[in-house]
Structure formats: structure tokens, C-alpha cells
mmCIF file of all heavy atoms in Angstrom:
data_model
loop_
_atom_site.group_PDB
_atom_site.id
_atom_site.type_symbol
_atom_site.label_atom_id
_atom_site.label_comp_id
_atom_site.label_asym_id
_atom_site.label_seq_id
_atom_site.Cartn_x
_atom_site.Cartn_y
_atom_site.Cartn_z
ATOM 1 N N PRO A 59 86.071 -124.177 98.005
ATOM 2 C CA PRO A 59 84.868 -123.971 97.193
ATOM 3 C C PRO A 59 84.648 -125.093 96.187
ATOM 4 O O PRO A 59 83.518 -125.504 95.945
ATOM 5 C CB PRO A 59 85.128 -122.643 96.484
ATOM 6 C CG PRO A 59 86.070 -121.918 97.374
ATOM 7 C CD PRO A 59 86.934 -123.003 97.991
ATOM 8 N N GLN A 60 85.730 -125.622 95.624
ATOM 9 C CA GLN A 60 85.611 -126.694 94.643
ATOM 10 C C GLN A 60 85.072 -127.971 95.288
ATOM 11 O O GLN A 60 84.211 -128.645 94.715
ATOM 12 C CB GLN A 60 86.968 -126.973 93.974
ATOM 13 C CG GLN A 60 87.499 -125.828 93.149
ATOM 14 C CD GLN A 60 88.135 -124.717 93.991
ATOM 15 O OE1 GLN A 60 88.488 -124.900 95.153
ATOM 16 N NE2 GLN A 60 88.268 -123.540 93.394
ATOM 17 N N GLU A 61 85.578 -128.310 96.480
ATOM 18 C CA GLU A 61 85.108 -129.506 97.174
ATOM 19 C C GLU A 61 83.652 -129.341 97.601
ATOM 20 O O GLU A 61 82.862 -130.275 97.492
ATOM 21 C CB GLU A 61 85.969 -129.797 98.401
ATOM 22 C CG GLU A 61 87.344 -130.316 98.073
ATOM 23 C CD GLU A 61 88.198 -130.492 99.311
ATOM 24 O OE1 GLU A 61 88.148 -129.634 100.208
ATOM 25 O OE2 GLU A 61 88.909 -131.505 99.364
ATOM 26 N N PHE A 62 83.307 -128.153 98.068
ATOM 27 C CA PHE A 62 81.923 -127.905 98.462
ATOM 28 C C PHE A 62 81.003 -128.034 97.256
ATOM 29 O O PHE A 62 79.972 -128.686 97.321
ATOM 30 C CB PHE A 62 81.776 -126.526 99.106
ATOM 31 C CG PHE A 62 80.399 -126.272 99.633
ATOM 32 C CD1 PHE A 62 80.030 -126.743 100.875
ATOM 33 C CD2 PHE A 62 79.473 -125.575 98.885
ATOM 34 C CE1 PHE A 62 78.751 -126.531 101.370
ATOM 35 C CE2 PHE A 62 78.188 -125.357 99.369
ATOM 36 C CZ PHE A 62 77.833 -125.837 100.620
ATOM 37 N N SER A 63 81.378 -127.434 96.156
ATOM 38 C CA SER A 63 80.578 -127.474 94.938
ATOM 39 C C SER A 63 80.391 -128.915 94.466
ATOM 40 O O SER A 63 79.313 -129.294 94.036
ATOM 41 C CB SER A 63 81.228 -126.639 93.842
ATOM 42 O OG SER A 63 80.447 -126.647 92.685
ATOM 43 N N ALA A 64 81.441 -129.717 94.557
ATOM 44 C CA ALA A 64 81.361 -131.114 94.126
ATOM 45 C C ALA A 64 80.420 -131.925 95.013
ATOM 46 O O ALA A 64 79.854 -132.926 94.567
ATOM 47 C CB ALA A 64 82.751 -131.745 94.134
ATOM 48 N N ALA A 65 80.214 -131.487 96.271
ATOM 49 C CA ALA A 65 79.358 -132.214 97.199
ATOM 50 C C ALA A 65 77.882 -131.858 97.041
ATOM 51 O O ALA A 65 77.022 -132.539 97.587
ATOM 52 C CB ALA A 65 79.801 -131.925 98.636
ATOM 53 N N ILE A 66 77.573 -130.808 96.286
ATOM 54 C CA ILE A 66 76.188 -130.364 96.106
ATOM 55 C C ILE A 66 75.519 -131.191 95.016
ATOM 56 O O ILE A 66 76.108 -131.452 93.969
ATOM 57 C CB ILE A 66 76.139 -128.866 95.716
ATOM 58 C CG1 ILE A 66 76.807 -128.010 96.785
ATOM 59 C CG2 ILE A 66 74.718 -128.411 95.446
ATOM 60 C CD1 ILE A 66 76.115 -128.023 98.111
ATOM 61 N N LYS A 67 74.285 -131.574 95.239
ATOM 62 C CA LYS A 67 73.534 -132.306 94.231
ATOM 63 C C LYS A 67 73.423 -131.450 92.965
ATOM 64 O O LYS A 67 73.266 -130.230 93.052
ATOM 65 C CB LYS A 67 72.125 -132.623 94.732
ATOM 66 C CG LYS A 67 72.083 -133.658 95.811
ATOM 67 C CD LYS A 67 70.652 -133.950 96.196
ATOM 68 C CE LYS A 67 70.588 -135.005 97.269
ATOM 69 N NZ LYS A 67 69.204 -135.310 97.646
ATOM 70 N N PRO A 68 73.492 -132.084 91.800
ATOM 71 C CA PRO A 68 73.432 -131.327 90.540
ATOM 72 C C PRO A 68 72.209 -130.411 90.429
ATOM 73 O O PRO A 68 72.303 -129.322 89.887
ATOM 74 C CB PRO A 68 73.393 -132.417 89.464
ATOM 75 C CG PRO A 68 74.055 -133.591 90.098
ATOM 76 C CD PRO A 68 73.702 -133.515 91.568
ATOM 77 N N ASP A 69 71.072 -130.820 90.999
ATOM 78 C CA ASP A 69 69.861 -130.002 90.929
ATOM 79 C C ASP A 69 70.031 -128.654 91.631
ATOM 80 O O ASP A 69 69.311 -127.701 91.333
ATOM 81 C CB ASP A 69 68.677 -130.729 91.561
ATOM 82 C CG ASP A 69 68.275 -131.965 90.790
ATOM 83 O OD1 ASP A 69 68.745 -132.138 89.643
ATOM 84 O OD2 ASP A 69 67.493 -132.764 91.326
ATOM 85 N N TYR A 70 70.972 -128.574 92.575
ATOM 86 C CA TYR A 70 71.154 -127.357 93.357
ATOM 87 C C TYR A 70 72.408 -126.568 92.979
ATOM 88 O O TYR A 70 72.688 -125.534 93.585
ATOM 89 C CB TYR A 70 71.196 -127.692 94.851
ATOM 90 C CG TYR A 70 69.956 -128.397 95.323
ATOM 91 C CD1 TYR A 70 70.016 -129.726 95.718
ATOM 92 C CD2 TYR A 70 68.728 -127.750 95.358
ATOM 93 C CE1 TYR A 70 68.872 -130.393 96.142
ATOM 94 C CE2 TYR A 70 67.584 -128.410 95.780
ATOM 95 C CZ TYR A 70 67.665 -129.730 96.177
ATOM 96 O OH TYR A 70 66.546 -130.384 96.592
ATOM 97 N N GLN A 71 73.138 -127.050 92.003
ATOM 98 C CA GLN A 71 74.392 -126.393 91.619
ATOM 99 C C GLN A 71 74.193 -124.914 91.267
ATOM 100 O O GLN A 71 74.976 -124.078 91.654
ATOM 101 C CB GLN A 71 75.043 -127.120 90.440
ATOM 102 C CG GLN A 71 75.694 -128.430 90.796
ATOM 103 C CD GLN A 71 76.934 -128.271 91.641
ATOM 104 O OE1 GLN A 71 77.607 -127.265 91.588
ATOM 105 N NE2 GLN A 71 77.216 -129.280 92.434
ATOM 106 N N LEU A 72 73.130 -124.595 90.513
ATOM 107 C CA LEU A 72 72.903 -123.208 90.109
ATOM 108 C C LEU A 72 72.685 -122.293 91.299
ATOM 109 O O LEU A 72 73.048 -121.108 91.253
ATOM 110 C CB LEU A 72 71.715 -123.117 89.150
ATOM 111 C CG LEU A 72 71.951 -123.683 87.755
ATOM 112 C CD1 LEU A 72 70.671 -123.606 86.933
ATOM 113 C CD2 LEU A 72 73.080 -122.948 87.053
ATOM 114 N N GLU A 73 72.119 -122.807 92.378
ATOM 115 C CA GLU A 73 71.886 -121.997 93.570
ATOM 116 C C GLU A 73 73.197 -121.519 94.197
ATOM 117 O O GLU A 73 73.238 -120.472 94.825
ATOM 118 C CB GLU A 73 71.094 -122.790 94.618
ATOM 119 C CG GLU A 73 69.735 -123.218 94.168
ATOM 120 C CD GLU A 73 68.782 -122.055 93.951
ATOM 121 O OE1 GLU A 73 68.889 -121.058 94.677
ATOM 122 O OE2 GLU A 73 67.954 -122.156 93.039
ATOM 123 N N PHE A 74 74.250 -122.305 94.037
ATOM 124 C CA PHE A 74 75.505 -121.994 94.693
ATOM 125 C C PHE A 74 76.568 -121.423 93.766
ATOM 126 O O PHE A 74 77.628 -121.028 94.218
ATOM 127 C CB PHE A 74 76.052 -123.243 95.398
ATOM 128 C CG PHE A 74 75.201 -123.675 96.549
ATOM 129 C CD1 PHE A 74 74.261 -124.672 96.404
ATOM 130 C CD2 PHE A 74 75.319 -123.049 97.772
ATOM 131 C CE1 PHE A 74 73.459 -125.060 97.462
ATOM 132 C CE2 PHE A 74 74.528 -123.424 98.842
ATOM 133 C CZ PHE A 74 73.599 -124.429 98.676
ATOM 134 N N GLU A 75 76.271 -121.384 92.478
ATOM 135 C CA GLU A 75 77.231 -120.830 91.526
ATOM 136 C C GLU A 75 77.539 -119.383 91.878
ATOM 137 O O GLU A 75 76.660 -118.597 92.159
ATOM 138 C CB GLU A 75 76.668 -120.884 90.101
ATOM 139 C CG GLU A 75 77.256 -121.983 89.274
ATOM 140 C CD GLU A 75 76.729 -121.956 87.855
ATOM 141 O OE1 GLU A 75 76.606 -120.875 87.268
ATOM 142 O OE2 GLU A 75 76.432 -123.050 87.365
ATOM 143 N N GLY A 76 78.806 -119.045 91.882
ATOM 144 C CA GLY A 76 79.202 -117.671 92.151
ATOM 145 C C GLY A 76 79.359 -117.343 93.622
ATOM 146 O O GLY A 76 79.913 -116.307 93.964
ATOM 147 N N PHE A 77 78.893 -118.209 94.516
ATOM 148 C CA PHE A 77 78.999 -117.916 95.938
ATOM 149 C C PHE A 77 80.345 -118.328 96.527
ATOM 150 O O PHE A 77 80.749 -117.822 97.553
ATOM 151 C CB PHE A 77 77.885 -118.605 96.728
ATOM 152 C CG PHE A 77 76.558 -117.939 96.584
ATOM 153 C CD1 PHE A 77 75.554 -118.541 95.859
ATOM 154 C CD2 PHE A 77 76.314 -116.712 97.162
ATOM 155 C CE1 PHE A 77 74.317 -117.931 95.720
ATOM 156 C CE2 PHE A 77 75.092 -116.092 97.034
ATOM 157 C CZ PHE A 77 74.083 -116.702 96.304
ATOM 158 N N LYS A 78 81.017 -119.275 95.921
ATOM 159 C CA LYS A 78 82.306 -119.776 96.410
ATOM 160 C C LYS A 78 82.210 -120.222 97.874
ATOM 161 O O LYS A 78 83.050 -119.897 98.695
ATOM 162 C CB LYS A 78 83.401 -118.715 96.260
ATOM 163 C CG LYS A 78 83.541 -118.153 94.877
ATOM 164 C CD LYS A 78 84.349 -119.063 93.991
ATOM 165 C CE LYS A 78 84.699 -118.381 92.700
ATOM 166 N NZ LYS A 78 84.015 -118.905 91.560
ATOM 167 N N VAL A 79 81.154 -120.965 98.210
ATOM 168 C CA VAL A 79 80.926 -121.420 99.573
ATOM 169 C C VAL A 79 81.926 -122.503 99.937
ATOM 170 O O VAL A 79 82.121 -123.455 99.197
ATOM 171 C CB VAL A 79 79.486 -121.946 99.728
ATOM 172 C CG1 VAL A 79 79.268 -122.552 101.097
ATOM 173 C CG2 VAL A 79 78.492 -120.830 99.468
ATOM 174 N N CYS A 80 82.580 -122.346 101.107
ATOM 175 C CA CYS A 80 83.530 -123.344 101.594
ATOM 176 C C CYS A 80 82.927 -124.242 102.662
ATOM 177 O O CYS A 80 83.324 -125.386 102.801
ATOM 178 C CB CYS A 80 84.762 -122.660 102.170
ATOM 179 S SG CYS A 80 85.763 -121.869 100.912
ATOM 180 N N SER A 81 82.004 -123.705 103.451
ATOM 181 C CA SER A 81 81.320 -124.540 104.429
ATOM 182 C C SER A 81 79.940 -123.952 104.694
ATOM 183 O O SER A 81 79.714 -122.761 104.508
ATOM 184 C CB SER A 81 82.120 -124.675 105.728
ATOM 185 O OG SER A 81 82.016 -123.541 106.531
ATOM 186 N N MET A 82 79.044 -124.817 105.109
ATOM 187 C CA MET A 82 77.681 -124.388 105.369
ATOM 188 C C MET A 82 77.153 -125.144 106.579
ATOM 189 O O MET A 82 77.407 -126.330 106.740
ATOM 190 C CB MET A 82 76.796 -124.657 104.157
ATOM 191 C CG MET A 82 75.379 -124.171 104.338
ATOM 192 S SD MET A 82 74.405 -124.318 102.839
ATOM 193 C CE MET A 82 75.014 -122.894 101.953
ATOM 194 N N LEU A 83 76.445 -124.414 107.419
ATOM 195 C CA LEU A 83 75.791 -124.998 108.586
ATOM 196 C C LEU A 83 74.291 -124.863 108.380
ATOM 197 O O LEU A 83 73.796 -123.774 108.093
ATOM 198 C CB LEU A 83 76.223 -124.247 109.854
ATOM 199 C CG LEU A 83 75.550 -124.613 111.161
ATOM 200 C CD1 LEU A 83 75.830 -126.065 111.528
ATOM 201 C CD2 LEU A 83 76.017 -123.692 112.263
ATOM 202 N N LEU A 84 73.582 -125.963 108.484
ATOM 203 C CA LEU A 84 72.130 -125.982 108.316
ATOM 204 C C LEU A 84 71.498 -126.467 109.608
ATOM 205 O O LEU A 84 71.919 -127.489 110.158
ATOM 206 C CB LEU A 84 71.725 -126.916 107.177
ATOM 207 C CG LEU A 84 72.337 -126.624 105.819
ATOM 208 C CD1 LEU A 84 72.143 -127.800 104.884
ATOM 209 C CD2 LEU A 84 71.738 -125.374 105.235
ATOM 210 N N VAL A 85 70.498 -125.734 110.101
ATOM 211 C CA VAL A 85 69.763 -126.161 111.290
ATOM 212 C C VAL A 85 68.272 -126.111 110.975
ATOM 213 O O VAL A 85 67.818 -125.250 110.221
ATOM 214 C CB VAL A 85 70.090 -125.304 112.530
ATOM 215 C CG1 VAL A 85 71.536 -125.504 112.971
ATOM 216 C CG2 VAL A 85 69.826 -123.836 112.283
ATOM 217 N N PRO A 86 67.512 -127.042 111.539
ATOM 218 C CA PRO A 86 66.085 -127.107 111.207
ATOM 219 C C PRO A 86 65.260 -126.048 111.937
ATOM 220 O O PRO A 86 65.552 -125.678 113.072
ATOM 221 C CB PRO A 86 65.685 -128.505 111.668
ATOM 222 C CG PRO A 86 66.620 -128.806 112.790
ATOM 223 C CD PRO A 86 67.917 -128.137 112.417
ATOM 224 N N LEU A 87 64.225 -125.581 111.253
ATOM 225 C CA LEU A 87 63.170 -124.774 111.867
ATOM 226 C C LEU A 87 62.058 -125.771 112.167
ATOM 227 O O LEU A 87 61.504 -126.378 111.251
ATOM 228 C CB LEU A 87 62.651 -123.713 110.898
ATOM 229 C CG LEU A 87 63.581 -122.563 110.583
ATOM 230 C CD1 LEU A 87 63.121 -121.859 109.317
ATOM 231 C CD2 LEU A 87 63.624 -121.594 111.729
ATOM 232 N N LYS A 88 61.742 -125.966 113.447
ATOM 233 C CA LYS A 88 60.751 -126.977 113.823
ATOM 234 C C LYS A 88 59.617 -126.349 114.620
ATOM 235 O O LYS A 88 59.843 -125.505 115.475
ATOM 236 C CB LYS A 88 61.386 -128.066 114.685
ATOM 237 C CG LYS A 88 62.343 -128.957 113.948
ATOM 238 C CD LYS A 88 62.821 -130.060 114.864
ATOM 239 C CE LYS A 88 63.707 -131.035 114.121
ATOM 240 N NZ LYS A 88 64.142 -132.119 115.015
ATOM 241 N N ILE A 89 58.406 -126.796 114.300
ATOM 242 C CA ILE A 89 57.221 -126.447 115.068
ATOM 243 C C ILE A 89 56.621 -127.752 115.545
ATOM 244 O O ILE A 89 56.260 -128.607 114.728
ATOM 245 C CB ILE A 89 56.205 -125.648 114.229
ATOM 246 C CG1 ILE A 89 56.801 -124.307 113.792
ATOM 247 C CG2 ILE A 89 54.909 -125.455 115.003
ATOM 248 C CD1 ILE A 89 55.904 -123.504 112.861
ATOM 249 N N GLN A 90 56.544 -127.908 116.852
ATOM 250 C CA GLN A 90 56.021 -129.128 117.469
ATOM 251 C C GLN A 90 56.676 -130.376 116.879
ATOM 252 O O GLN A 90 56.002 -131.343 116.521
ATOM 253 C CB GLN A 90 54.500 -129.182 117.345
ATOM 254 C CG GLN A 90 53.810 -128.054 118.068
ATOM 255 C CD GLN A 90 52.312 -128.081 117.917
ATOM 256 O OE1 GLN A 90 51.764 -128.760 117.051
ATOM 257 N NE2 GLN A 90 51.628 -127.336 118.765
ATOM 258 N N GLY A 91 57.985 -130.346 116.744
ATOM 259 C CA GLY A 91 58.733 -131.486 116.244
ATOM 260 C C GLY A 91 58.703 -131.683 114.744
ATOM 261 O O GLY A 91 59.388 -132.555 114.221
#
């Protein structure tokens, strides 16, 4: 969680506070590319 938190941009830190996220997978939602 500490390494993940350190990798998050400061603007988004509050979004992840308290979640203790260790890994995250992000995939795009695309319409016609």
C-alpha cells in the first residue's frame, strides 16, 4: 500500500486514502476507438 500510494499523483492522493490499495488494473472504455 505504501509503494502504491507513493506512485499516485498528489492530486489523486485523497481518492485513495484509506483504501490501502496494493495493485490496480485499469482498462479503457472505448466507443469507436
Side-chain angles (χ1 to χ4, degrees):
Q60 295 78 18
E61 288 176 320
F62 185 83
S63 182
I66 301 295
K67 289 183 179 181
D69 294 347
Y70 302 112
Q71 286 291 333
L72 289 177
E73 298 293 327
F74 293 97
E75 256 183 42
F77 284 109
K78 306 279 191 250
V79 174
C80 291
S81 78
M82 183 173 282
L83 174 62
L84 303 166
V85 293
L87 289 162
K88 290 185 176 181
I89 297 175
Q90 297 178 344

